[in-house]
């Protein structure tokens, strides 16, 4: 099954919802015209469709192979990575002074989404490398930057994040890897890291590991963790020698088979450097976790894009099958069997998939625009407001888009019926691939704690209030358009949209308020509502974008400028309002229940 | 990870909700005492835990092997099947005159649930065999019964259902396999069947295929389909000769790897019987689909049990992990990291898993009791009322329990975090296995069409009204108990339960009414609501059983007879009311949306 970049929807969102023109007009975006953005995205679409998409199934059925510590990537991955690097795709969002293109996140986001839709397993490598580049540029010394950043951007090197250890997953306070300072200002690292994505492979000449570890006298807990760069090869006396970091094995995972997930051993004494992996400290001692969050935040947003990407690909595949597969007569009567897309429940499943995907995409791109405003707007108050909204949205984009991806991929199997369960069809792979997304880079619960704790309770709900006010303005606009609609069926649909949007806003605002109110008391009850509240925020924020989309389409319709795209977008937006937005109230009920009924397992 | 049959919950439901004593007291159950039921279920638990459960992972990693048309089962399966047969488990619910035990479905249901929880892939073989036995006993000739039923019951033979062809999945009108009558009253069959569970294997000496096919002059569509028995070996001149039915290949599936899914070729001319697979007609010509539904209904109910079984096993595994895994401090403060079961969101996930599983189990067992009442009650009006409710519940049990199983298995992975994504953990297998359940034996949409079309619209909603009236009686009982509760926290929880139950009943009754009202007009809109209405029925019926459970526990509490089990059951019931029942209203909104917003994809 081929993948086709959904450029129509991407451009609609970029222009109509996320304000691409405003981003292009910022002083720092000098020279970035809309035409150039289109050209970049066209070229991106061609590249991912032709070069990367064919790897998706190959990676699944022929995963990387480990032998004696070396890992050979899936067939075709080396060549595709070379083309990826040569095309300059790794540098898209990185500074021009380091060899990148310095494009705004709003342009990077669709490019990264499409890359991931083409092959999630392939795209994980650049995703991690992006994080390493960002961390080094923000907190690395000039020396470290010069040694590693150009190679990371030109594809000579790739990057990894080494957080997890067997006993330390979500709880990084338990990290035990040791970093022993040496007289030459380097460190020697000893320990075991697990779940290291692209921890070992043959795509590039070197691998730059960013590693969390403890120095001997460091305080216990998260305040004693420092960050180190440990390259696979280091330069010694003018030649590249093998450092003491080794891939002990690869994991056998449910999905993303094409992506090697490594167990890495530091300091087992087998390298050419003596015992201990040579590492360089990044930034100050004991601030490692803080630095790692620089990578984590970028990576979390990117994992959200992965969810959207996977949902898009699963949706395209299910749509194609539903058009082809002829089965059963129409419920309203037909001469013979019809394509299953015609059956009401199949249409419902497909519209659910499309609505969730498009809404999550809109949310993610709006968030990207906020990131760009936060970094590029000359007005500091606008920067601050944008930053606050972006930071609020990162856990929403990560949590909601990834949970949504699992749902959509599962529905995609259902549309295929029995064929969906057969691996050759490819629909099942999407579910297997998607299932990691709500887990890695922080589970949905971790995202929800971030959203509720750091992004909602800490500012007393200010960002939420701003969002609610803006949504209400959109609701008022919708109400005005509803009144003047003369098409009776459409008027009925719009009235339902209006009612559901109003209810959803109320549910979201009420839930945030009640969680804020109770936070001083029943803290367990409050945090039992954290994931429902995150999902609620995702549903409502996405619904807001769908209402905004509908308004654009209605206006174009009035102006006689609406074609097939506008008609379809309006259908999807109405569907979202009718079928997805009611979840906001369901989540509100769950939040209320969490605060009423003690959440604890007395027995099990 | 071991499996432990949840006998506490099973016995509670059997006695307190499903009326086991009443079933035992029926004249046809003569001699069946409660002690015997307990002994059977104890023995069943021992057998599935010790013999079958260890096969679950083996089947997954070492699937059956096809070579030259022969299939070798996964290691250990042959021996386990021999023990299964020797233990008399295949005959549990079949008549004593044929070598069975003639036990009521209410006793068979937990035994089958436990077997499936131990290994879904293993249990599919007996599940299909049950259906073949039931079809032969109901519509087969005495000759066919005598030739095949004893062997099917004693495990010498196994059975299959052959419906699907490449072009005919949900739409059996498209079946094209031909059955050509011979002069000796036999038929010769020609065609290809796909997705045939246990279509070929080495567990038994013969395989009895029930096959849908068309005779040469049969009318087109479903009215021209007849049912045939085609054994793998037939007796000719006193010896067993190989019939002309061959396994061309096995499918590579997402899950249930231990269960061979065969492509079967009929009439390729390679047998010892000349060209054409020799078959015997079952019942009358052209009534095949009707007969197949005898099997299908039994099988659909059993697949519902599979959903419950899988959810139970996934829940047990997640619970065990959550007790063991130490990670992060408690949100309310703790000296060090705690077991993750203590974290509010993990507790919420686990209670969701437990609540859904227990509610679906209660619904399924209540349905089984209705089946037994329908078959064994001497009072014909009670038989009729019970039959109507059972038939209403079959698509609910199938549809709801299987969708629920996918949700629960997916949550099980989430509880495990990154470890859940590693195949060695076993949590991922549950999701892979579960994902077929909402598809085979009729997708959820097929179940929903059955529920809405044949079970709701056809009788003008009479069964629904009866259910609603009974639920309201339970609600009134709950209201009385709420008033007298003196424990303040519990009173608050019960008040929430009361409110949510009332809302859910209203949502369900309103949705049924609106669907009935609109059925004469917007038929596409009505059927867009079929799956939401099925899920709503499942949520509310299960919620009713949870409220009934709570009432039992509260009464025992008042009587000073409540222990740990009652306390826990009450917790789970309250959780269900607070967190799951609100979905009923969400489904109502979706049904309303389907009737308001045209459900069709104009563009894709």
């Amino acid at each position: 099954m081929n993948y086709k970049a959904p450029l129509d929807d991407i451009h609609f969102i970029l222009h109509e919802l996320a304000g691409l023109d405003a981003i292009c007009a910022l002083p720092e975006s000098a020279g970035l015209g809309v035409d150039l953005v289109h050209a970049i995205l066209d070229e991106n679409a061609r590249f991912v469709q032709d070069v990367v998409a064919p790897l998706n199934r190959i990676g699944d059925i022929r995963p990387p192979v480990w032998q004696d510590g070396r890992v050979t990537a899936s067939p075709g991955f080396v060549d595709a990575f070379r083309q990826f690097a040569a095309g300059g795709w790794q540098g898209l969002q990185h500074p021009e002074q380091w060899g990148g293109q310095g494009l705004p996140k709003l342009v990077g986001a669709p490019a990264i989404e499409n890359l991931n839709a083409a092959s999630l397993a392939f795209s994980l490598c650049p995703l991690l490398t992006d994080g390493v580049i960002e961390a080094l540029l923000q907190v690395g010394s000039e020396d470290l930057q010069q040694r590693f950043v150009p190679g990371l951007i030109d594809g000579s090197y790739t990057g990894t994040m080494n957080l997890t250890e067997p006993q330390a997953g979500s709880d990084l306070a338990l990290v035990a890897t040791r970093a022993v300072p040496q007289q030459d200002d380097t460190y020697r690292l000893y320990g075991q890291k697990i779940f290291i994505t692209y921890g070992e492979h043959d795509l590039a000449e070197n691998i730059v590991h960013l590693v969390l570890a403890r120095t001997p006298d460091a305080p216990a807990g998260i305040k004693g963790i420092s960050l180190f760069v440990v390259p696979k090869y280091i330069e010694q006396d003018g030649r590249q020698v093998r450092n003491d970091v080794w891939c002990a094995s690869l994991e056998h995972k449910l999905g993303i088979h094409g992506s090697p997930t490594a167990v890495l051993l530091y300091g087992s004494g087998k390298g050419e450097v003596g015992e201990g992996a040579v590492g360089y400290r990044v930034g100050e001692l004991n601030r490692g976790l803080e630095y790692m969050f620089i990578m984590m935040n970028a990576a979390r947003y990117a994992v959200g894009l992965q969810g959207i990407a996977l949902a898009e690909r699963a949706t395209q595949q299910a749509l194609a099958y539903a058009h082809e597969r002829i089965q059963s007569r129409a419920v309203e009567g037909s001469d013979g069997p019809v394509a299953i897309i015609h059956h009401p429940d199949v249409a419902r499943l497909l519209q659910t998939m499309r609505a969730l995907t498009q809404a999550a995409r809109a949310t993610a791109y709006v968030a990207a625009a906020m990131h760009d405003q936060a970094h590029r707007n000359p007005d500091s108050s606008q920067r601050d407001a944008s930053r606050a909204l972006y930071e609020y949205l990162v856990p929403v984009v990560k949590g909601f888009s990834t949970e949504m991806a699992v749902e959509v991929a599962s529905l995609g199997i259902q549309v295929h019926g029995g064929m969906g369960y057969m691996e050759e069809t490819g629909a099942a792979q999407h579910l297997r691939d998607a299932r990691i997304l709500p887990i890695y880079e922080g589970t949905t619960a971790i995202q929800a704690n971030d959203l509720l704790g750091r992004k909602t309770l800490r500012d007393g709900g200010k960002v939420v209030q701003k969002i609610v006010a803006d949504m209400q303005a959109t609701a008022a606009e919708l109400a005005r358009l509803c009144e003047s609609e003369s098409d009776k069926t459409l008027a009925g649909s719009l009235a339902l949209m209006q009612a559901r949007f109003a209810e959803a806003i109320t549910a979201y605002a009420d839930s945030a308020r009640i969680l804020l109110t109770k936070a001083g008391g029943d803290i367990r009850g409050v945090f039992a509502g954290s994931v429902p509240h995150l999902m609620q925020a995702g549903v409502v924020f996405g619904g807001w974008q769908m209402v905004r989309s509908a308004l654009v389409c209605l206006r174009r319709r009035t102006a006689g400028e609406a074609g097939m795209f506008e008609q379809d977008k309006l259908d999807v937006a109405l569907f979202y309002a009718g079928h997805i937005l009611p979840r906001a109230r369901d989540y509100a009920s769950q939040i209320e229940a969490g605060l009423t009924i003690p959440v604890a397992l007395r027995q099990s």
Side-chain angles (χ1 to χ4, degrees), chain A:
Chain A
M1 168 64 207
N2 294 327
Y3 169 70
K4 192 167 171 300
L7 290 176
D8 279 1
D9 197 48
I10 287 172
H11 288 309
F12 179 86
I13 297 172
L14 289 181
H15 289 283
E16 301 298 339
L17 307 179
L20 176 64
D21 300 286
I23 302 293
C24 286
L26 292 173
E28 250 198 74
S29 310
L32 181 66
V34 166
D35 287 349
L36 182 56
V37 171
H38 286 218
I40 291 167
L41 293 180
D42 284 347
E43 183 53 33
N44 167 260
R46 259 194 301 276
F47 173 70
V48 305
Q49 289 167 190
D50 297 348
V51 177
V52 183
L55 301 180
N56 197 44
R57 176 131 173 88
I58 296 169
D60 191 54
I61 57 180
R62 296 190 56 189
V65 176
W66 179 97
Q67 195 171 24
D68 300 331
R70 289 165 192 277
V71 172
T72 308
S74 297
F77 275 49
V78 168
D79 182 55
F81 186 74
R82 207 161 291 150
Q83 292 188 54
F84 173 82
W89 296 109
Q90 186 75 61
L92 215 58
Q93 294 179 73
H94 300 296
E96 291 174 82
Q97 65 175 114
W98 292 102
Q101 277 98 73
L103 290 169
K105 198 177 191 80
L106 186 55
V107 180
I112 289 170
E113 181 198 320
N114 287 328
L115 184 69
N116 276 284
S119 169
L120 199 69
F122 176 84
S123 310
L124 272 164
C125 188
L127 189 154
L128 273 304
T129 301
D130 272 339
V132 175
I133 294 168
E134 198 147 333
L136 287 176
L137 288 181
Q138 286 199 39
V139 293
S141 66
E142 211 186 305
D143 176 51
L144 288 180
Q145 291 174 351
Q146 275 167 357
R147 279 160 73 183
F148 296 113
V149 172
L152 288 165
I153 285 182
D154 74 17
S156 311
Y157 313 156
T158 68
T160 74
M161 291 167 66
N162 287 236
L163 289 77
T164 307
E165 300 177 7
Q167 78 295 347
S170 295
D171 186 2
L172 293 170
L174 303 176
V175 159
T177 295
R178 292 178 304 124
V180 183
Q182 310 293 305
Q183 292 192 328
D184 62 355
D185 266 359
T186 65
Y187 289 76
R188 291 281 180 151
L189 277 80
Y190 305 86
Q192 184 189 0
K193 294 286 181 178
I194 62 169
F195 299 167
I196 307 308
T197 300
Y198 278 91
E200 179 59 37
H201 60 77
D202 58 352
L203 300 183
E205 62 190 58
N206 203 356
I207 302 176
V208 181
H209 304 292
L210 274 190
V211 187
L212 291 183
R214 284 179 197 286
T215 50
D217 307 320
I222 55 168
K223 287 175 187 159
I225 298 172
S226 303
L227 183 63
F228 300 87
V229 170
V230 182
K232 178 176 166 188
Y233 291 100
I234 60 169
E235 206 181 287
Q236 247 179 23
D237 309 324
R239 69 184 193 96
Q240 297 290 317
V241 299
R242 189 67 169 81
N243 204 350
D244 193 13
V245 46
W246 299 96
C247 175
S249 60
L250 296 182
E251 302 289 355
H252 180 204
K253 309 184 297 293
L254 174 60
I256 50 168
H257 292 165
S259 156
T261 304
V263 173
L264 291 185
L265 300 181
Y266 289 85
S268 52
K270 290 190 213 143
E272 299 173 89
V273 296
E275 198 183 277
V278 177
Y280 313 102
R281 202 179 71 219
V282 180
E284 295 175 30
L285 264 186
N286 298 333
R287 292 181 65 185
L289 209 63
E290 177 191 329
Y291 299 151
M292 195 56 101
F293 266 95
I294 298 168
M295 300 184 65
M296 289 284 276
N297 261 327
R300 284 173 176 184
Y301 177 85
V303 171
L305 289 179
Q306 292 191 312
I308 297 158
L310 219 140
E312 174 67 34
R313 184 145 192 184
T315 302
Q316 288 189 15
Q317 175 151 6
L319 270 168
Y321 185 79
H323 273 294
E324 275 167 25
R325 176 74 171 166
I326 310 290
Q327 203 79 171
S328 302
R329 282 162 204 250
V331 67
E332 70 274 22
S334 62
D335 287 340
V338 297
I340 62 170
I341 196 170
H342 188 77
H343 298 310
D345 193 66
V346 175
R348 185 184 68 86
L349 294 178
L350 290 167
Q351 286 292 53
T352 303
M353 297 170 78
R354 300 177 78 216
L356 285 168
T357 306
Q358 292 179 22
R361 176 181 293 129
T363 298
Y365 291 9
V366 167
M370 290 303 105
H371 174 276
D372 294 329
Q373 292 286 357
H375 285 83
R376 297 176 178 225
N377 199 303
D379 179 325
S380 77
S381 73
Q382 287 215 36
R383 279 203 307 274
D384 291 347
S386 301
R387 179 173 298 110
L389 183 52
Y390 174 70
E391 289 187 352
Y392 180 88
L393 286 176
V394 167
V396 176
V397 168
K398 202 288 183 180
F400 179 76
S401 305
T402 59
E403 294 282 348
M404 171 287 283
V406 174
E407 177 179 352
V408 168
S410 187
L411 295 181
I413 293 179
Q414 193 69 19
V415 169
H416 283 79
M419 281 308 297
Y421 203 62
M422 304 301 131
E423 286 287 3
E424 77 205 55
T425 309
Q429 186 193 337
H430 299 318
L431 177 60
R432 289 191 287 99
D433 286 355
R435 197 58 196 80
I436 190 59
L437 302 179
I439 296 173
Y440 66 16
E441 300 299 337
T443 64
T444 307
I446 298 285
Q447 306 304 321
N449 289 351
D450 181 39
L451 181 74
L452 186 58
R454 279 183 288 274
K455 314 288 172 67
T456 305
L457 302 182
R458 195 174 286 175
D459 80 347
K462 269 199 202 119
V463 174
V464 174
Q465 283 158 25
K466 170 79 169 68
I467 293 171
V468 168
D470 289 349
M471 290 197 289
Q472 279 163 339
T474 302
E477 223 178 316
L478 174 63
R480 280 193 297 276
L481 274 172
C482 280
E483 279 171 30
S484 58
E485 182 52 54
S486 55
D487 175 320
K488 214 177 135 191
T489 306
L490 182 56
S493 298
L494 288 171
L496 191 71
M497 176 182 256
Q498 196 188 340
R500 293 285 176 263
F501 188 39
E503 282 165 17
I505 296 172
T506 304
Y508 168 63
D510 284 356
S511 292
R513 204 186 49 242
I514 193 174
L515 289 168
L516 275 158
T517 312
K518 301 274 185 171
D522 178 12
I523 195 72
R524 284 186 63 80
V526 165
F527 277 90
S530 60
V531 169
H533 188 53
L534 178 145
M535 294 303 291
Q536 186 184 47
V539 158
V540 178
F541 202 97
W544 177 24
Q545 306 316 312
M546 294 309 263
V547 172
R548 292 181 63 207
S549 303
L551 293 177
V552 172
C553 295
L554 288 168
R555 270 187 233 108
R556 288 189 186 170
R557 202 165 153 273
T558 307
E561 292 163 1
M564 197 62 150
F565 176 85
E566 283 77 10
Q567 190 59 62
D568 181 53
K569 189 78 185 178
L570 186 56
D571 282 347
V572 179
L574 289 167
F575 184 92
Y576 189 99
H579 289 258
I580 311 294
L581 269 181
R583 297 183 188 183
R585 218 173 42 173
D586 182 18
Y587 291 125
S589 297
Q590 290 182 46
I591 292 162
E592 188 192 346
L595 288 161
T596 310
I597 303 166
V599 182
L601 276 81
R602 295 192 225 213
Q603 189 197 343
S604 52

